Amino acid sequence: MKRTHHSFLITLCLMLILQACGHGDTDKNNGKETTSADGPEAFLLSPDSLSSTIRIPGELRAYQEVDLYAKVNSFIKTLKVDIGSEVKTGQLLAVLEAPEINSQLAAAESRLKSREALYISSKATYNRLLETSKTPGTVSRNDLDIAFAQQESDLAQLEAARANHREIIVNRDYLQIKAPFDGVITARNVSPGAYVGPSGRGSEQPIFTLREQKNLRLVVNVPEGYISYLSPQSTISFTVKSLPNLHFEAKVSRLAGALDNRLRSQRSEMDVENHGNLLLPGMVAEVSIPVKSRPGSFVVPSSAVLNSTEGMYVVKLTDGKIIWVPVAVGGNGNGKTEVFGELHQKDTLILRASEEFRNQADVEGNPVIK
């Protein structure tokens, strides 16, 4: 029994000694791990480029679009085209009728002939008096002046009659509606027999709506923060919901050069060649605009940008101190952000910035450069 008790005591002592040694090693190891992880994760600022895209909705519109109305009060006599008809420049689209115009034209022609006869008579009278006046004492100067004034008056009346005649002919020509450019009829709002004209009931809607569809305009309102990424002749790509597997390209053709007062965006237009008429006016497009870093900027991980209540900052480590450097943020993508500020190449920045790193505080431990 004594031997057994003695062996048990020896075994217990050995276990206590080993356990104490194990705790000491663990404390040492923990101490080493804590020491090696004291410093924050950081990185050295180096040249980099931002290559991503931003997606903005746009709208496809007809390159040219016009609503065709009747110029004179009339009735629809014949419609030559309908919705979906492809027309050429100068093609006859509709014929109108207005019987009173024919009566006005006949009256104008009658007045014109009457004025021509009066002018011919007064001109002949003046010429005879002028010839007779060459013999002294035959015609007084006053009679000659009166004849000349009558001739000029009849000439003026003749010119007025001619102008009135031309006006009625022009109005008669308005009874034919013709296509001003090549395009497609996309709306027809009247039927034969309908009353149309510049005023009155039935004139609110156009007779036809004509749109050019072989060429389209892609209209995009680019937000203020991204307008520097677009310039004339820049190439963009876009897709439409009805053709999700197709990607289209277009070049920037026109920039407004000013911001919309309501949206604070710049209207930008791209000319699109509509091969095969796959695209239709009114479609909503998703436009992809390439975003590249700009001169004077640096590209940093997005986690390095601190968005505080005081503004945007990156946290810089200098001579053992934490410095908040104010920055302006540009584009972003793929986990990176473009920043502008008082930064220089090889500056040490904290990788995961947060307000726990107080401005002007001392750096705890050695930073771990990633």
Side-chain angles (χ1 to χ4, degrees), residues 284-317:
V284 176
E286 188 178 63
V287 181
S288 299
I289 299 178
V291 175
K292 296 182 180 180
S293 53
R294 292 165 286 189
S297 67
F298 284 96
V299 177
V300 300
S302 298
S303 60
V305 181
L306 173 59
N307 186 2
S308 73
T309 56
E310 300 176 0
M312 307 291 286
Y313 298 89
V314 294
V315 181
K316 180 179 175 181
L317 303 179

Side-chain angles (χ1 to χ4, degrees), residues 34-159:
T34 303
T35 302
S36 62
D38 275 346
E41 293 183 345
F43 66 96
L44 296 178
L45 196 59
S46 59
D48 198 359
S49 61
L50 182 68
S51 182
S52 63
T53 59
I54 58 171
R55 296 184 180 274
I56 301 176
E59 182 184 3
L60 288 167
R61 298 182 181 178
Y63 193 80
Q64 296 184 93
E65 178 179 352
V66 64
D67 292 329
L68 300 175
Y69 290 87
K71 178 68 169 61
V72 295
N73 295 325
S74 55
F75 294 90
I76 299 293
K77 182 178 181 180
T78 307
L79 295 177
K80 301 291 187 180
V81 294
D82 209 329
I83 293 176
S85 299
E86 294 187 5
V87 300
K88 299 294 183 180
T89 303
Q91 180 177 336
L92 183 62
L93 306 180
V95 177
L96 313 180
E97 60 179 353
E100 63 274 17
I101 289 184
N102 293 329
S103 298
Q104 293 171 3
L105 182 60
E109 289 176 348
S110 177
R111 285 194 298 271
L112 178 60
K113 291 179 180 179
S114 174
R115 291 300 175 185
E116 286 178 345
L118 290 175
Y119 172 67
I120 291 173
S121 174
S122 60
K123 183 179 180 182
T125 299
Y126 171 72
N127 289 335
R128 284 194 296 269
L129 289 176
L130 180 62
E131 189 66 26
T132 305
S133 66
K134 293 179 180 179
T135 303
T138 55
V139 178
S140 68
R141 183 65 185 178
N142 183 59
D143 291 340
L144 189 62
D145 291 342
I146 292 174
F148 178 76
Q150 185 62 45
Q151 173 190 314
E152 293 300 311
S153 175
D154 290 340
L155 176 61
Q157 293 293 331
L158 174 61
E159 293 298 331

